[in-house]
Amino acid sequence: MQRPLSSFAFAPAVKVKLINAGFHTAADLCDLRPLQLSKESGISQQEAVEVLQTVRHDASQGAGAGSRMTALELLGREQAMGAIVTFCSALDSVLGGGMPVGKTSEVCGAPGVGKTQLCIQLAVDVQIPVCFGGLGGQAVYVDTEGSFMVQRVVDVAKAAVEHCSLLADDAEQREALKVFTVEDILSKLYLFRCHDYVELLAETYLLPDFLSQHPEVRLVVIDSIAFPFRHDFEDLSQRTRLLNGLAQQLAQMANQYNVAVVLTNQMTTKVGNGQSKLVPALGESWGHAATQRLILHWEGEQRLASLYKSPSQREATVLYQITGAGFRDVLSSDHASADSSAIPSGNAPKRLRTQADDHQT
Amino acid sequence: MDFRQLELNPRIISAAKKANLKSARDILGLSGPDLQRLTRLSMSDVQRLQAAVAVAFRKSPPVTALQLYRGECPDLEPRHRLTLGCPTLDCLMRGGIPLSGITELAGESGAGKTQIGLQLCLSVQYPQVHGGLGSGAVYICTEDAFPIKRLHQLITQQPRLRPDLPTDLLHGLCFSDNIYIEHAADLGVLQTCLSQRVPILLARGLARLVVLDSVAALFRCEFTAEESSKRARHLVALASTLQHLSHSFNAPVLCINQVTDVVEHCDASQFRCGLVESAVLPALGMAWANQLLVRLMMRRLGGVPSLGAGIGAARRLEVVYAPHLPRASCLCHIGEEGVKGVLSPDSAHIVSSHMDLYGKTEV
């Protein structure tokens, strides 16, 4: 009740008027009616109604459930959220277990390096049952380029199912395998097709509703976010504003609905000092949008993934390859890719978490 | 946009109308704070407005991948591809050219790119059961004149290329009637052609394939080295027009591209995109490469042809990248009847590791 009014999310003009009229804390407002408040502070009646509703709602929620948390609670919550494995164990260990749920990650790369393949792999891996160390969730795939091919998803899904059936030890895992078939995987992958940036923005406004109707979704992939924003935009400052708004909405959605948001970005050539190099597209300000940034690039014939920006993991570069079965490790000896498992069997969550702990110390 | 259809408070609708926001695009194309400034509504009202407009604007509900797999949404995932006319080449491409999105074929001059373009113009005319689309093709030439003699030769030799087809079908089709040839010497003419004539042909069902031979020719002569950003903008605009046509009419677009020599410097590998052993790379740079769905390269190999009679040396058709294809290549020969793939022993693995589109294993 002693919460100061400046900490509420009102428009700055409204805040100034309230403070000038002498209202400083929530307690000052709770006994007033909208008409009185609007007369005394000079804000419109509509605004007064909203201010009072917000203050009362906050008061009824008690000790700010959801708005205040200790760091220990936050740590517990983050660890409980888990991560989505990529089946490339080197990349998983660099990422601290996999793509983090509850945060936005960006994957940048030149065409053909494997961004869409990684997204498809994640969309299948998020559905791995909990007893195998996965999240048992569903996936939303927003396709803006037209590069989503069901044929490829079927390949990756088949390989994942085979991998899990090789690992199945106990009765619980065999039971879980019965609902982890290729058709089940396909039925839990929702595809949204957007042809331009307006459609993409419309889908982003509608995603929160979709996520509340489908609470099992744990992954939202947007492949790619650069494509619709890179043509027919004369006003680049409008593009920056739209992208910033989009980034904020996605970050909020990731946090509120407990989903991992993975965005794919293109590369563009930047010419400077007589040299040209590849940098992620959409400008410098977009670099701040995602929590984590992964850059996929070529080094001769090899594909490398570099963790370029992360709040909790160290920058590192690993090798990976794309096989018929999907996104995999590069093994030093020429084994069949079926051996390169990233899912430890048995008590998988514990092992994943200790790996993550090792990395964070 | 009809505001009355939206489930919104009339106050919000009148504020939007007063701010001169007429269509869904106007409202959705502005960020939240911009809309707040224009309409003087509160943030929660603006969010309600955007959500209501988005619901009305959304054209199709989300689908699951299972529905696509079962063929319940033919617009989003047509369950077939456009055949290249040869079973070995189709096997390399897992069925053929995808029906929506831009497929690029790059190569040196004389590699055989135009041959593939012509072959596709003929294979598109067969009915769907034989791998075609039952419609004609638009062939846009930007460089030389259209190779009409070669087209006639290919038409007469079709029975040799496609022995699996019934002869009455082959004789019943009048191939040259269904190929529409356009010449575009500069960008302006090309834009006019793509915005006026080609959509009409596609909309009437007279054509369902667009071949652009070649895309690099227009861009390499019109823009100087300093105008690279202007060139990139035009490239992206052209790609966007082609993609729009391709998606609206489910018509494959084949763009033939030239190649450029590689200038070696320390950071070259990132531009090579994995094509390490190649002395040439597809032209037009990253701006164009980002717009493609499938990139193919055709190379001319030195040496004497060893299998049968072909025109000159053997060729190699390589898949550089595609969302559904591994990096693989296939030897091919260009004969009188067209381009035919060759199953050499080392390319046999392409056949065995590829499955047919939806589950059956090809031998």
Side-chain angles (χ1 to χ4, degrees), chain B residues 176-193:
Chain B
S176 39
D177 274 355
N178 297 322
I179 303 182
Y180 300 88
I181 302 170
E182 298 271 346
H183 282 93
D186 62 51
L187 261 184
V189 174
L190 178 64
Q191 287 288 6
T192 320
C193 171

Side-chain angles (χ1 to χ4, degrees), chain A residues 255-276:
Chain A
N255 198 18
Q256 194 179 350
Y257 294 98
N258 233 5
V259 291
V261 175
V262 177
L263 310 170
T264 314
N265 196 2
Q266 294 172 345
M267 300 294 259
T268 178
T269 325
K270 183 169 167 181
V271 183
N273 292 339
Q275 266 196 341
S276 57

Side-chain angles (χ1 to χ4, degrees), chain A residues 113 296-304 306 317 319, chain B residues 266-267 269-270 273-274 276:
Chain A
V113 76
L296 307 179
H297 54 108
W298 291 98
E299 193 75 33
E301 282 223 333
Q302 291 177 323
R303 299 177 203 243
L304 296 168
S306 300
T317 303
L319 285 171
Chain B
C266 43
D267 277 334
S269 62
Q270 50 179 333
C273 297
V276 178

Side-chain angles (χ1 to χ4, degrees), chain A residues 64-83 100-103 135 218 251-259 353:
Chain A
S67 59
R68 272 186 301 195
M69 224 191 255
T70 63
L72 186 64
E73 286 168 15
L74 206 52
L75 177 66
R77 202 175 139 200
E78 254 186 39
Q79 286 189 335
M81 282 203 272
V101 170
K103 299 199 166 40
L135 293 176
R218 284 279 156 289
Q252 195 182 25
M253 199 170 66
N255 198 18
Q256 194 179 350
Y257 294 98
N258 233 5
V259 291
R353 218 165 285 137

